[in-house]
Amino acid sequence: MFMPARKPKSDRLSEYRAKRSASATPEPFGGEILPGGSRFVVQMHKASRLHYDFRLELNGVLLSWAVPRGPSPNPADKRLAVHTEDHPLEYVDFEGVIPEGNYGAGGVIVWDLGVWIPLEDPEQGMEKGKLLFNLKGHKLQGRWTLVRTKQDWLLIKERDGWAREESTESYPQDSIFSGLTAEEVTKGRTRWPELEERIEAAGAPLREVDLSGPPFMLAESRAKPFSRKGWVFEIKYDGYRLLAVREDDRARLISRNGNDLTLTFPEIERAVYGLPYPGLVMDGEAVVHDEHGLPSFQRLQKRGRLRRRTDVLRSSMELPATFYAFDLLALGGYDLRALPLTERKSLLRALLPTTGPIRYSDHIEEKGEAMFEHAGRLRLEGMVGKDAGSPYRAGRSTKWIKVRSIRTDDFVVVGFTEAKSGRGGFGALHLGQYDDGELVYGGRVGTGFSDAQLGEIRELLEPLEGADPPGSGPVPKGAAHHWVEPEVVVEVAYKEVTGDGMLRHPSFLRLRDDKPPVDCIRQDEGHPLEEPVQVTDDTQQKVVHFSNLDKVFWPEEGYTKGDLIEYYRSVAPWLLPLLADRPVVLTRYPDGIDGKSFFQKNAPGFAPDWVRTEVIWSEGSERELHYFICEELEALLYLANSATIPLHVWSSRVATLSRPDWCILDLDPKDAPFA
């Protein structure tokens, strides 16, 4: 239980109101300070005049400037920045009210927070009067300059991809922690009165929410996307599922397997604590983004495996996590789980900051197939469809349906085989899933592992070895098989499940140390996936027979030959017009991107006769060659199936080979970063 023992409604309401009036916002978090850090913070300060305090961490203090009109993304806005006294590091996440009679009395909010990266020596810059740096915050991004004038300093946005013509007002003006404005904090206001009025009008009971059992609502798996009236569709994030709990004096993060991950993600803990609403329980997913802004489970696992406190704090700056909140279970002592989903989400949106370490996970209505298509283009994990009127119920439910962009599932490792000569670690993993509470054998996976993963997983499994296979089903026999206790969970991609429950063409994707084995449940897959087996046009008798679709072509990422073909299929509408009437030269990688490759100009004699070729004299070969002309989808997929990764395109067309009609600029940065 996270709430106190049940009291009469009137007493409980009085108690909550007393707590809110005593402190509109939480006390300063008092988080640990990491020596040698490079944080920056912008605090909006409602003192005698509203201004922004801009602070950079350097040599154990916060260098500070008061910026009356605030940072602007417009390079034309040269903002006055008054250099003030240095502040202690403990002030970096202060939000609250400085009492009357003290210097700077008034409300303070954390307007932005992140990391600053000096582009020149910062100590010399302070002496010379010019600091050039990058900011990586929730609001401020890109390159900035602080330059000293005769009287004071100026804060200027440099021209880059983050520069805009708008001014300071284009940024969200609320706190990245509490979601409140500086004026609301100064006056001791929160949004609780309006939220409480809505909650009572909706009929939510005032009672405790028990978090001691398995409280998560889980989605059923389906193979195909769907659209449905009365449903909403959200992004499926590639992260750790967590309950974020804000109690009277602390914040907690609880994982699906019941572990407390509060110390693992201090930046999320601080953000949850910053929400000025006790008795708060949110459901969501912790995500670490890659350099393209996409969820990276590999980076998240790197965070999740850290144990030393200094390593955790450092990674919270270098690989910051974001909590995408998509549901609200409790607030202010009220149990919201029986309310319709859209009402719970509306309340959640109203209490969260506009941006920050916690973000609201939005949705679209009805159009699930369009949502799924866009998720695939962005290389997201998939989508989750939810009945808009559904209550929140612990356990798996048909009111929530998840559809992955690729066909994957989670399995318990029940054993492994010995490695063959030339390979370390193990040969393959034996897999299982639970069906009506019984662990059932589901086949094995032997591809998709890196050398490091082979050794790492073997070390995890050896202490778990036992004599008998832990489950039922068509378990293989023989001394070469090692059986282990079902404690390790892996995610596996596969083509299909056979009639006897075995995986067909499985490939290892990752370890799932965030998921308990009992949640690996055999699912009803619904309709089978549409597989890229062939493309047919019966009127022209064009058929492409694909082969080895599950062969891994990119070992580190786990992408297969089938993924390559599907990529070319997806970009064909944009690519084919550029290939029309142009000879192409293939670079083929029959063993994937790390294997041997070769160029191919001449079409082989066994190429389908419906693939267009043109005879062109080759000076280098001193003979006529049959060049492919790739102008139809079937031809493009045929070339992709031949393990062609890049296509080299002539700059001229067949009818005018001596007159190129486009120009190629070859940018070769050598050892320099491409950026």
Side-chain angles (χ1 to χ4, degrees), residues 93-345:
D93 62 353
F94 171 77
E95 181 164 311
V97 178
I98 301 174
E100 289 293 336
N102 292 275
Y103 176 74
V108 177
I109 63 170
V110 178
W111 187 83
D112 197 15
L113 183 68
V115 174
W116 76 291
I117 304 169
L119 300 178
E120 299 171 351
D121 187 303
E123 295 183 20
Q124 292 183 10
M126 287 297 294
E127 291 181 11
K128 294 179 180 178
K130 184 177 181 181
L131 281 175
L132 183 64
F133 49 89
N134 279 333
L135 295 180
K136 291 184 178 181
H138 297 285
K139 299 176 183 178
L140 303 183
Q141 295 279 347
R143 184 172 296 193
W144 297 73
T145 299
L146 271 165
V147 59
R148 187 167 54 213
T149 65
K150 291 182 179 179
Q151 288 80 26
D152 275 301
W153 295 66
L154 298 176
L155 177 63
I156 305 169
K157 178 73 188 75
E158 295 291 322
R159 296 191 180 277
D160 59 13
W162 296 98
R164 304 196 303 270
E165 293 184 359
E166 295 91 343
S167 191
T168 308
E169 292 72 24
S170 64
Y171 292 120
Q173 295 302 298
D174 57 332
S175 162
I176 64 168
F177 289 143
S178 66
L180 303 175
T181 65
E183 186 167 342
E184 286 175 321
V185 170
T186 302
K187 294 180 178 180
R189 295 177 181 172
T190 71
R191 292 164 197 163
W192 175 246
E194 295 83 5
L195 292 170
E196 186 177 36
E197 185 177 342
R198 289 178 55 183
I199 291 170
E200 290 194 328
L206 189 65
R207 67 184 177 198
E208 303 157 0
V209 173
D210 186 1
L211 301 180
S212 60
F216 289 89
M217 186 167 178
L218 305 175
E220 295 275 4
S221 291
R222 288 293 182 270
K224 294 187 67 175
F226 61 97
S227 299
R228 190 172 301 170
K229 189 174 182 180
W231 281 59
V232 298
F233 297 89
E234 302 170 351
I235 291 172
K236 187 178 187 305
Y237 295 100
D238 199 8
Y240 284 178
R241 182 86 176 270
L242 299 174
L243 287 184
V245 182
R246 166 70 162 87
E247 296 167 322
D248 293 335
D249 58 354
R250 64 170 179 159
R252 286 193 294 146
L253 304 175
I254 305 170
S255 73
R256 275 183 60 181
N257 52 11
N259 291 332
D260 191 323
L261 298 187
T262 310
L263 297 179
T264 303
F265 300 107
E267 68 275 40
I268 298 179
E269 177 196 11
R270 171 62 182 93
V272 174
Y273 187 83
L275 293 168
Y277 309 102
L280 168 67
V281 182
M282 298 180 292
D283 192 356
E285 204 143 348
V287 167
V288 174
H289 299 100
D290 64 13
E291 63 274 11
H292 306 295
L294 297 174
S296 169
F297 196 83
Q298 182 179 8
R299 295 188 180 196
L300 182 67
Q301 274 193 321
K302 183 178 179 181
R303 286 287 312 272
R305 292 173 180 171
L306 297 175
R307 294 295 177 264
R308 291 178 55 199
R309 190 60 181 165
T310 53
D311 293 339
V312 171
L313 292 170
R314 183 172 290 107
S315 288
S316 70
M317 295 192 297
E318 297 172 351
L319 298 173
T322 299
F323 183 72
Y324 286 93
F326 50 70
D327 213 327
L328 184 62
L329 282 64
L331 182 64
Y334 291 90
D335 182 354
L336 308 181
R337 293 174 297 175
L339 300 184
L341 169 67
T342 49
E343 179 63 24
R344 300 195 306 271
K345 293 199 67 173

Side-chain angles (χ1 to χ4, degrees), residues 601 617-625 627:
K601 298 180 180 179
W617 174 262
S618 171
E619 295 289 345
S621 302
E622 295 185 342
R623 62 189 178 98
E624 291 182 333
L625 299 179
Y627 281 82

Side-chain angles (χ1 to χ4, degrees), residues 457-570:
I457 296 174
R458 177 74 184 240
E459 288 183 9
L460 285 175
L461 297 179
E462 283 183 341
L464 304 176
E465 279 199 60
D468 300 317
S472 62
V475 180
K477 309 295 183 182
H481 304 288
H482 300 260
W483 304 108
V484 300
E485 293 298 317
E487 295 185 15
V488 176
V489 176
V490 296
E491 184 178 2
V492 175
Y494 58 94
K495 189 171 185 179
E496 64 180 353
V497 179
T498 63
D500 58 355
M502 299 296 103
L503 296 179
R504 185 172 175 226
H505 300 310
S507 177
F508 171 83
L509 293 178
R510 60 184 177 177
L511 283 166
R512 289 298 303 262
D513 50 7
D514 63 313
K515 187 171 185 178
V518 293
D519 280 352
C520 297
I521 298 173
R522 182 166 290 188
Q523 302 287 332
D524 173 14
E525 291 287 340
H527 300 291
L529 267 177
E530 294 178 357
E531 299 164 7
V533 175
Q534 64 180 17
V535 178
T536 307
D537 183 342
D538 292 333
T539 61
Q540 301 184 49
Q541 299 299 311
K542 298 176 183 177
V543 180
V544 181
H545 296 283
F546 295 124
S547 60
N548 300 320
L549 292 176
D550 293 289
K551 188 171 185 179
V552 177
F553 268 25
W554 282 268
E556 290 189 11
E557 297 82 2
Y559 296 138
T560 64
K561 180 180 173 183
D563 294 327
L564 171 68
I565 292 170
E566 282 306 289
Y567 170 75
Y568 270 120
R569 188 203 298 272
S570 67

